[in-house]
Amino acid sequence: MESFYITTAIDYVNGSPHLGHAYEKVLTDVIARFRRMMGDRVHFLTGVDEHGQKVQASAKKRGIPPQQFCDEVSAEFQALLPRLNITNDDFIRTTEERHKRVVRSVLQQLFDKGEIYMAEYQGFYSTRQEQFLQNKDRNADGTWPEIFGEVTEITEANYFFKLRHYQEWLVDFLNTHEDFIFPRYRQKQVLEFLKEPLNDLCISRPKERLEWGIPLPFDENYVTYVWFDALLNYYSAVADKPGVWPANWHVIGKDILVPPHAVYWPIMLHAAGLALPRGIIAHGWWLQSGSKMSKSTGNALNPLDLVTEFGADAFRYFLIREMNVGQDSDFTREQFLVRYNSELANNLGNLVNRTLNMTTRFSAGVLPAPEVADELERNLRELWDKTRDEFVPLCEGFQFHTALERVMFFLTETNAYIEKRAPWKLGKSAEAKDQALLRTSLATMAEALRLAVAVVQHVIPDASERINAVLGYKPGEIWRDELTWGTRLTGLKVEPALVLFPRPAPAEKIPAKP
Ligand code: MSP
């Protein structure tokens, strides 16, 4: 059994979770569930990033201690996970003792090895990004890009990590591990960034400016820079679990790839003598009318509203079906409803209804054995084989949107098969040949449904479980064995009905234009 360790970014707790945060959890969960289906021993970590100036400021604004503030907001992030049906094995908070202990020990080790030194820093600082800036970060007209928020000039003594020393090593590493970053074109962007000499990384903040952080083990007048602290969560959470580190994939958004994940993190690990992860998946952004959904721009959607309205499965399905991992997608309610109606309610929901209805009506609720293999049955079976053969490599390559598209096509063709066979007509005939075809059509639609469920269960786990339950079916232990067209359902007693994706109220189908 292969070990598979996957992580999400840890979210800042200075605001409530929004759709962008939810997407990352869902994407990582879909990968984790898929790897479990493939037989891996999965460890799935998510959590929250609780230190730093922004949290300190938000707590102050509310007039409560930072720890209390973190407790409240972190609870909100944690509560989101079961609502989205996320199967994380662990949830880390950077204020936990287990994390602080590891951060301090890694810092001490790097300090003892001479990888960290003290120097005077003079320059510009962005509080929003918790980042020191250079002149090259400015716009052409000399102003600072919007993403940095308020930028202030500061002079102070700080501790620095010898990033520059490892620049060439990192370039070499990336050149010899061409698929370290997914999608691959992002790796080129990292190499482009590394063409300029790196500055050493300032890893401390004086306590008089920032108290809310992990004190440096070798100088208690300073706390640890929030990125240095946060990145180590991936390791601190499993430091005492043998055989889990290194991670397979860190799933993050494209905004935090360069420099934190693609430059600081590999260098930190290498300098500390720790193994590097297999790679980093950098997903795109959910946009609204073309701009990034975020708390600071005020256009963030509360994921829980959609989950309450449509259920976790529909929400998960939309995010995974709509977004090509790595690229951006615009979120619109119209598009959500289109997919909900045409793919979930129509394609899948109809097949479920027809299978249950007709088996109840024509076969006393017991699934018959197939008896005939005419062209229509053969074609559908061949389409399944093709769908299945494409499915695994597509999911292994994180092309879940295409994998779902293929499954949807298979469902469309299954519904078309039912139209052509027209069991409701066959049911009126007393001829033996028609009765055999009727039984075959019932067995065929049920088997197609069983197979489709086997390959969408990582995306819509609840619906999948419920469909198997109404078919009276218990899948076997080995997922891959489930993917062969066969007669596993013969003789099972089905339930008469199941409402899976109720349609939204008609008035809602065509939302009024603003
Ligand atoms: N705390 C840091 C990450 C530290 S990881 C060691 C952080 N937090 S965040 O709350 O700002 O973002 C958390 C994750 O959500 C990031 O991967 C980010 O890219 C993602 N998203 C935030 N807004 C998003 C969208 N609008 N769309 C998709 N994901 C986005 O950065």
Side-chain angles (χ1 to χ4, degrees):
M1 211 189 221
E2 297 264 324
S3 149
F4 186 89
Y5 176 28
I6 190 160
T7 67
T8 68
I10 50 172
D11 302 317
Y12 289 131
V13 292
N14 56 316
S16 297
H18 61 66
L19 189 100
H21 300 128
Y23 169 68
E24 194 168 43
K25 313 289 179 293
V26 170
L27 172 63
T28 311
D29 187 61
V30 166
I31 301 172
R33 285 177 185 264
F34 172 69
R35 294 311 321 181
R36 286 192 204 105
M37 282 150 60
M38 294 288 281
D40 290 352
R41 190 178 63 249
V42 172
H43 188 74
F44 171 8
L45 173 74
T46 184
V48 280
D49 188 352
E50 301 189 298
H51 290 127
Q53 204 139 319
K54 279 189 266 190
V55 172
Q56 184 173 294
S58 303
K60 198 166 167 206
K61 216 160 128 194
R62 289 255 322 267
I64 56 174
Q67 187 64 58
Q68 186 187 335
F69 178 82
C70 288
D71 290 348
E72 282 176 19
V73 186
S74 294
E76 236 187 288
F77 275 91
Q78 220 160 338
L80 180 68
L81 301 171
R83 295 286 313 276
L84 298 175
N85 227 332
I86 303 295
T87 55
N88 58 304
D89 299 287
D90 194 1
F91 185 90
I92 189 154
R93 301 179 54 184
T94 53
T95 52
E96 282 174 67
E97 222 26 69
R98 60 170 172 160
H99 174 71
K100 295 193 219 169
R101 196 172 50 239
V102 171
V103 171
R104 281 165 66 91
S105 111
V106 171
L107 279 167
Q108 187 65 53
Q109 191 199 333
L110 291 173
F111 185 72
D112 294 344
K113 279 171 71 182
E115 303 286 1
I116 290 172
Y117 63 93
M118 193 179 212
E120 178 106 323
Y121 176 86
Q122 187 170 22
F124 296 94
Y125 189 74
S126 150
T127 308
R128 184 184 291 172
Q129 298 294 329
E130 309 259 18
Q131 189 185 331
F132 288 97
L133 303 176
Q134 296 162 40
N135 276 325
K136 67 171 192 227
D137 296 319
R138 288 181 193 268
N139 292 321
D141 65 359
T143 56
W144 296 103
E146 168 71 27
I147 56 156
F148 294 127
E150 193 195 344
V151 174
T152 45
E153 197 170 2
I154 57 168
T155 307
E156 64 191 24
N158 266 309
Y159 288 90
F160 289 81
F161 170 52
K162 291 183 178 167
L163 214 57
R164 172 90 181 85
H165 177 73
Y166 291 101
Q167 181 157 3
E168 267 169 44
W169 166 81
L170 182 58
V171 170
D172 261 11
F173 174 83
L174 292 172
N175 282 330
T176 48
H177 296 77
E178 284 182 349
D179 56 0
F180 185 65
I181 293 160
F182 178 89
R184 275 194 185 202
Y185 61 83
R186 294 229 177 263
Q187 180 129 337
K188 298 205 179 77
Q189 293 172 355
V190 180
L191 285 164
E192 207 47 45
F193 177 84
L194 288 168
K195 282 191 175 150
E196 294 282 322
L198 285 175
N199 286 334
D200 284 346
L201 178 66
C202 178
I203 52 119
S204 64
R205 297 293 180 268
K207 261 200 184 145
E208 66 261 21
R209 192 151 69 77
L210 175 68
E211 267 181 72
W212 189 237
I214 303 176
L216 294 182
F218 42 83
D219 189 340
E220 300 279 329
N221 294 317
Y222 289 86
V223 299
T224 312
Y225 169 46
V226 70
W227 270 107
F228 197 96
D229 161 352
L231 286 163
L232 277 166
N233 89 87
Y234 303 134
Y235 175 66
S236 69
V238 297
D240 61 354
K241 292 186 175 64
V244 179
W245 189 261
N248 290 69
W249 295 101
H250 296 307
V251 179
I252 58 163
K254 62 178 186 179
D255 49 323
I256 56 170
L257 178 66
V258 186
H261 281 84
V263 178
Y264 303 163
W265 184 226
I267 292 181
M268 282 164 66
L269 288 169
H270 182 64
L274 292 166
L276 263 65
R278 157 71 185 79
I280 297 167
I281 298 170
H283 62 74
W285 285 344
W286 281 98
L287 311 172
Q288 265 204 315
S289 317
S291 60
K292 184 188 177 214
M293 205 182 281
S294 80
K295 192 182 68 78
S296 36
T297 42
N299 62 352
L301 278 178
N302 181 348
L304 289 180
D305 292 346
L306 287 160
V307 173
T308 306
E309 199 174 355
F310 297 98
D313 276 344
F315 179 71
R316 291 169 61 105
Y317 180 82
F318 178 75
L319 297 183
I320 298 300
R321 173 74 177 89
E322 192 69 15
M323 184 93 118
N324 177 347
V325 178
Q327 293 174 14
D328 295 346
S329 275
D330 217 49
F331 184 95
T332 67
R333 194 175 163 88
E334 285 91 334
Q335 183 64 0
F336 186 98
L337 288 177
V338 165
R339 294 236 183 260
Y340 180 90
N341 284 330
S342 70
E343 301 183 7
L344 292 176
N346 265 352
N347 254 357
L348 180 60
N350 269 351
L351 178 58
V352 173
N353 287 337
R354 286 168 142 181
T355 306
L356 300 180
N357 273 339
M358 289 192 247
T359 308
T360 306
R361 201 162 125 209
F362 299 120
S363 184
V366 178
L367 284 165
E371 291 167 45
V372 189
D374 276 357
E375 200 186 346
L376 288 182
E377 283 76 23
R378 283 200 307 273
N379 285 349
L380 192 62
R381 207 178 150 149
E382 270 166 31
L383 177 65
W384 164 253
D385 286 348
K386 186 167 166 281
T387 308
R388 178 206 45 210
D389 292 347
E390 287 173 347
F391 176 84
V392 169
L394 281 170
C395 291
E396 281 177 326
F398 314 122
Q399 302 297 297
F400 298 107
H401 66 298
T402 312
L404 286 179
E405 181 194 79
R406 301 286 150 81
V407 179
M408 275 302 139
F409 182 67
F410 173 67
L411 286 173
T412 306
E413 290 300 297
T414 304
N415 280 313
Y417 162 83
I418 299 173
E419 294 294 324
K420 285 181 209 146
R421 269 285 171 250
W424 47 90
K425 283 189 194 148
L426 296 168
K428 287 187 189 137
S429 160
E431 297 236 356
K433 185 173 136 282
D434 288 340
Q435 286 298 313
L437 268 181
L438 171 63
R439 288 190 290 273
T440 300
S441 65
L442 297 176
T444 303
M445 66 178 91
E447 182 63 358
L449 176 60
R450 180 189 73 80
L451 291 163
V453 164
V455 291
V456 292
Q457 56 173 297
H458 53 325
V459 183
I460 49 171
D462 256 355
S464 305
E465 220 172 273
R466 291 170 68 199
I467 295 170
N468 278 329
V470 292
L471 289 175
Y473 183 61
K474 236 180 147 25
E477 285 290 299
I478 300 172
W479 173 73
R480 275 189 184 250
D481 292 350
E482 291 294 302
L483 307 184
T484 317
W485 190 296
T487 53
R488 288 174 162 79
L489 299 177
T490 305
L492 295 183
K493 176 96 173 71
V494 306
E495 296 290 330
L498 171 70
V499 180
L500 269 182
F501 299 104
R503 286 172 194 268
E508 272 226 89
K509 276 191 192 162
I510 309 156
K513 293 259 179 287

